[in-house]
Amino acid sequence: MKTIILLARHGETEWNLEHRLQGHKNSPLTNTGRQQAELLRNSLGDHTICAIYTSPLGRAVETATIVAGQFGLDPVARDGIREINLGPWEGKTRAETEASYPEAYQKFWCDQENFCLEGAEDYHHLEKRVVDEIEKLFRENNGKTVLVVSHWIAIKTIVAHYLGLGLNGIDQVEDLPNGQFVTLENSDGVVIL
């Protein structure tokens, strides 16, 4: 039996425009971000969505809520699909972060296996957390199609895992634009994209 997760990225936020790292902090969706959520909703019209799950962070919840109206569903928050915790980097611009933490910054983008920053989550923990949650959602929704609204780095980590790329393959995964989704299809325990 086939189980499908439509894994979507939240709409554009104010901090996306400012090139600020959000992590567990939040900034509101822009008007464009709300329009992206509406376009996401419209693009799902051919799917029979049985449930909508979202990260508990406001930008994902707002995106999921905009989408949910069409399906008569209430989004269910799942902490496991929250974005990576970036600790002291959250709210800072990429340029500020690179200037203050040049070695860690380089590892964050290009050597995820060895990224380590005090007060932040490493990629090993992130991968375990998000993949465990996706596996739970597959089990809980056997034979159904569900929407999962998550975040940029969390999604790249999930995709890299199921493509068998490992942590240092995350940078090979194409960035998913705001308000777009990728399909994960589980048939008899084998997940394909």
Side-chain angles (χ1 to χ4, degrees):
M1 190 175 294
K2 190 186 307 184
T3 306
I4 296 173
I5 290 178
L6 306 173
L7 182 58
R9 186 176 174 198
H10 62 79
E12 176 190 79
T13 69
E14 296 289 345
W15 282 7
N16 288 150
L17 290 179
E18 297 170 7
H19 304 288
R20 291 186 184 279
L21 298 169
Q22 295 182 104
H24 285 190
K25 287 190 177 176
N26 195 59
S27 72
L29 295 185
T30 62
N31 287 335
T32 298
R34 285 185 285 283
Q35 290 170 351
Q36 289 167 337
E38 291 169 4
L39 290 171
L40 172 62
R41 178 187 64 211
N42 297 339
S43 72
L44 297 170
D46 293 339
H47 295 277
T48 302
I49 307 291
C50 296
I52 298 176
Y53 299 96
T54 181
S55 155
L57 297 172
R59 57 196 185 269
V61 171
E62 185 176 356
T63 301
T65 301
I66 290 169
V67 173
Q70 174 174 320
F71 299 98
L73 298 168
D74 292 321
V76 177
R78 298 292 284 255
D79 201 55
I81 51 176
R82 178 188 295 251
E83 182 60 295
I84 189 170
N85 176 359
L86 294 174
W89 291 3
E90 293 181 0
K92 293 185 170 47
T93 65
R94 290 188 199 180
E96 291 168 337
T97 305
E98 184 175 20
S100 300
Y101 301 85
E103 185 178 338
Y105 187 83
Q106 186 276 332
K107 287 182 179 179
F108 179 76
W109 297 110
C110 302
D111 185 12
Q112 292 86 355
E113 184 78 33
N114 295 304
F115 169 72
C116 182
L117 178 68
E118 188 173 343
E121 185 175 23
D122 65 41
Y123 276 94
H124 297 275
H125 183 265
L126 172 67
E127 180 184 38
K128 178 167 178 21
R129 173 170 60 80
V130 295
V131 171
D132 283 354
E133 191 66 37
I134 291 295
E135 291 292 324
K136 282 182 202 170
L137 292 173
F138 275 130
R139 287 191 302 276
E140 292 170 11
N141 296 282
N142 191 32
K144 299 176 183 170
T145 298
V146 299
L147 175 69
V148 173
V149 181
S150 188
H151 305 271
W152 180 32
I153 300 298
I155 291 170
K156 285 176 70 90
T157 303
I158 292 165
V159 170
H161 173 83
Y162 286 114
L163 290 176
L165 298 174
L167 292 178
N168 280 343
I170 290 171
D171 62 335
Q172 297 172 38
V173 175
E174 190 173 326
D175 290 344
L176 187 65
N178 293 100
Q180 300 291 311
F181 70 91
V182 62
T183 303
L184 305 177
E185 197 173 290
N186 186 331
S187 296
D188 299 323
V190 176
V191 177
I192 59 170
L193 283 88

